[in-house]
Amino acid sequence: VRPARLISNGEVRFVDPLSAILKVEFKGFGVLEGFYSDGLRTLLHTLKGKVRRAYEVTLRYPGHLSKIKLLRDLGFFSDEELSIGGVPIKPKEFTARVLDKKLHLKDVRDLVLLKVVGLGTRSGETIKIVCKLIETGSEPVSAMAKTTAAPATAAATLVANKMLPAGVVPPEYIGLSNELYNEFTKHLLRRSVKVECSEYPPNK
């Protein structure tokens, strides 16, 4: 319901997150739907002036986004209060309660898919690097909990070992140092969170 920020032609822009439904293929899972989401955060500043284009896409199963867009366009995600039988209610809160009840499936485990695609040049040649993470939930820890906690504890370990300064440090700074990146990914592996990166010709 709020604008998403991305980098286009080297400049930060605001876009309607549902202005486009993007198709993203993920091997083993087929073609998924994606929408622009406001996840670049500090990258908006650290990448500004260094890249021409950058954006984050949140993935969902095919068919999801047309339904969500319809609900949004009809006002079901609005914060504007309505009076129903003399009782004030926000459509967004009502919708959240209905969806939570309807979509809470006890026997369905969550799934986290992450793909980072970088396209650029090295020594005058165009290259494409793709990094992937696939995590399935298992009792008692969900996939989302695992992939959220593991990077946080990895960063905390780097701070404890005085490899990172205390305070606010953009996470992409870790990727700028081979030493920090290797230590970070080792920590993830110890928690069975594996990131695989491959290099391809630009058209693959």
Side-chain angles (χ1 to χ4, degrees):
V1 296
R2 71 167 187 259
R5 293 169 295 175
L6 50 77
I7 298 175
S8 177
N9 293 323
E11 296 295 326
V12 176
R13 289 182 50 213
F14 291 83
V15 298
D16 174 358
L18 297 179
S19 59
I21 297 179
L22 311 174
K23 301 297 182 183
V24 179
E25 186 170 2
F26 216 109
K27 189 174 180 180
F29 299 91
V31 177
L32 303 174
E33 290 183 348
F35 64 97
Y36 293 122
S37 42
D38 196 36
L40 292 184
R41 302 296 174 173
T42 55
L43 287 169
L44 292 166
H45 307 286
T46 56
L47 291 182
K48 190 176 180 182
K50 299 175 183 176
V51 299
R52 288 192 303 244
R53 190 175 180 217
Y55 56 89
E56 183 200 58
V57 172
T58 293
L59 301 177
R60 292 292 181 263
Y61 288 109
H64 173 91
L65 292 177
S66 61
K67 297 176 177 65
I68 291 299
K69 190 174 188 302
L70 176 63
L71 289 175
R72 189 195 67 173
D73 292 347
L74 290 175
F76 281 86
F77 301 151
S78 172
D79 275 317
E80 185 179 345
E81 284 190 349
L82 301 174
S83 178
I84 301 178
V87 178
I89 185 170
K90 291 183 179 180
K92 183 169 72 175
E93 294 176 357
F94 167 78
T95 304
R97 289 291 297 273
V98 171
L99 293 180
D100 183 56
K101 183 177 180 180
K102 192 71 175 176
L103 301 179
H104 189 72
L105 306 174
K106 292 182 180 179
D107 298 327
V108 177
R109 303 302 304 166
D110 70 329
L111 172 70
V112 171
L113 302 176
L114 175 68
K115 179 192 286 187
V116 179
V117 180
L119 188 65
T121 59
R122 182 197 293 143
S123 302
E125 292 186 352
T126 303
I127 61 167
K128 180 180 180 181
I129 295 176
V130 179
C131 295
K132 295 180 183 179
L133 179 151
I134 299 173
E135 185 64 46
T136 53
S138 59
E139 292 291 351
V141 182
S142 68
M144 183 58 75
K146 189 174 181 181
T147 53
T148 300
T153 56
T157 301
L158 292 178
V159 172
N161 292 337
K162 301 190 184 306
M163 298 181 72
L164 270 182
V168 179
V169 179
E172 56 268 25
Y173 280 23
I174 294 172
L176 297 176
S177 162
N178 286 332
E179 181 184 12
L180 290 176
Y181 180 76
N182 289 335
E183 284 297 317
F184 188 84
T185 51
K186 279 183 195 174
H187 184 93
L188 297 184
L189 277 174
R190 286 197 290 271
R191 281 148 182 78
S192 301
V193 175
K194 187 177 182 181
V195 179
E196 295 183 327
C197 296
S198 302
E199 189 172 312
Y200 301 92
N203 60 347
K204 285 195 70 176

